[in-house]
Amino acid sequence: MKFIQPVNPEERDFCRHIMDLLQNAEKNNFFRFSSFLTDREQVLARAQADAAGVQCGFWGGHKEAVRKMFSAPKAENEKYPLDAVTFFFRNSDMLTHRDFLGSMMSLGIKRNQIGDISVADGGAVVFVSRTILPLIKETCKIGRVGVRTETGIGIELPSQKFEDIFLTVSSLRIDVLVSGICGVSRDKSAAFIKSGRVILNGIRILSSSVTVEPGDIFSVKGYGKFVFSDLGGVTRKGKNHITIKKYN
């Protein structure tokens, strides 16, 4: 269930912004780019482009990027106005994604100017809008830890790791999947949903009857983040074999 229509005033404003980019690109015959978008915003942006009959593009600086910029029309990767900055620090300094994000936002940088933040031992790569590159390059500390910066990807990016969860379910309703993944009863999974603990494709859902499709991303507060990876065969009793990947 992709929820391709805006569901609140903020999303409607966002869709108008994307439509402005699409119209401007067509009028001036030139590429137009957004800031970094969340998963949910990418769904909405693609829907707007599809409705306008424009082939759009998305790129976040690397193949496994989560936060990506939108282009109208589709642009080659090197045309996107983004850069990577590598931070080097001692292996003994245990810096986290939160440390980097907090330090950058304390500089007055908006969240949508920052893409993915990939942290490894002794180094981290942050993808940023090109307009803020000079400010980011001047960073000499993350929290209380001294760092050295270098433009570009200077370390091997850590790959996203997943744990495979194999389930046999009676339907693809969200309450059924939450029940199987979390090891709780259907009543309890319905209570999770009703209390707002379940986010599907960036939307907090309150209905247990929503169906989930392969590729959908959802999270359950207290249990983690998941992607519906694969819909397999059907049992003799009509149940579905599915694969869910849990983000580690």
Side-chain angles (χ1 to χ4, degrees):
M1 179 67 69
K2 298 299 182 183
F3 296 105
I4 62 173
Q5 298 300 320
V7 298
N8 55 44
E10 290 76 17
E11 290 193 352
R12 286 189 283 274
D13 287 343
F14 172 77
C15 288
R16 282 191 286 268
H17 167 63
I18 294 297
M19 188 56 67
D20 286 343
L21 293 180
L22 291 164
Q23 293 172 349
N24 195 281
E26 182 178 13
K27 179 180 178 180
N28 296 289
N29 193 29
F30 199 73
F31 293 109
R32 289 293 181 263
F33 300 93
S34 72
S35 55
F36 287 100
L37 306 182
T38 64
D39 288 334
R40 170 61 178 164
E41 288 169 338
Q42 291 169 46
V43 169
L44 292 172
R46 186 179 295 279
Q48 294 298 305
D50 288 346
V54 177
Q55 185 180 20
C56 64
F58 296 91
W59 178 242
H62 65 112
K63 291 189 298 182
E64 296 183 3
V66 175
R67 299 180 69 89
K68 302 174 185 176
M69 289 182 172
F70 163 88
S71 73
K74 185 176 181 179
E76 296 177 352
N77 294 344
E78 58 269 21
K79 291 185 180 296
Y80 283 77
L82 62 84
D83 285 294
V85 179
T86 301
F87 293 78
F88 296 96
F89 48 91
R90 294 176 302 183
N91 287 347
S92 58
D93 293 320
M94 304 296 289
L95 291 175
T96 66
H97 181 286
R98 180 177 296 181
D99 294 324
F100 282 92
L101 183 59
S103 292
M104 292 178 189
M105 295 189 71
S106 70
L107 298 174
I109 296 171
K110 295 181 179 179
R111 182 63 183 95
N112 63 10
Q113 294 176 293
I114 306 168
D116 284 4
I117 300 173
S118 299
V119 184
D121 292 337
V125 178
V126 182
F127 296 89
V128 300
S129 297
R130 190 158 294 153
T131 54
I132 65 168
L133 178 62
L135 179 59
I136 297 299
K137 286 182 63 178
E138 292 177 359
T139 303
C140 59
K141 281 191 174 182
I142 297 295
R144 297 182 178 180
V145 175
V147 296
R148 176 175 61 86
T149 63
E150 175 184 291
T151 303
I153 302 175
I155 63 171
E156 183 176 352
L157 294 176
S159 297
Q160 175 64 58
K161 292 182 172 55
F162 297 93
E163 173 190 348
D164 286 334
I165 301 174
F166 303 102
L167 298 174
T168 301
V169 294
S170 58
S171 79
L172 301 181
R173 285 171 42 132
I174 186 64
D175 61 334
V176 175
L177 269 63
V178 170
S179 173
I181 289 168
C182 300
V184 299
S185 68
R186 286 277 296 277
D187 286 344
K188 187 141 189 178
S189 70
F192 286 172
I193 295 165
K194 188 175 181 179
S195 64
R197 292 178 60 178
V198 179
I199 306 292
L200 175 61
N201 294 328
I203 295 292
R204 191 180 305 278
I205 60 169
L206 300 175
S207 171
S208 297
S209 62
V210 170
T211 57
V212 185
E213 302 170 0
D216 284 348
I217 296 173
F218 60 99
S219 60
V220 184
K221 186 176 181 181
Y223 289 87
K225 181 179 177 182
F226 311 87
V227 58
F228 182 179
S229 174
D230 186 55
L231 176 61
V234 179
T235 70
R236 292 181 179 179
K237 294 184 178 181
K239 293 187 176 183
N240 295 290
H241 295 299
I242 65 172
T243 303
I244 302 291
K245 290 184 176 292
K246 180 180 181 180
Y247 286 76
N248 287 337

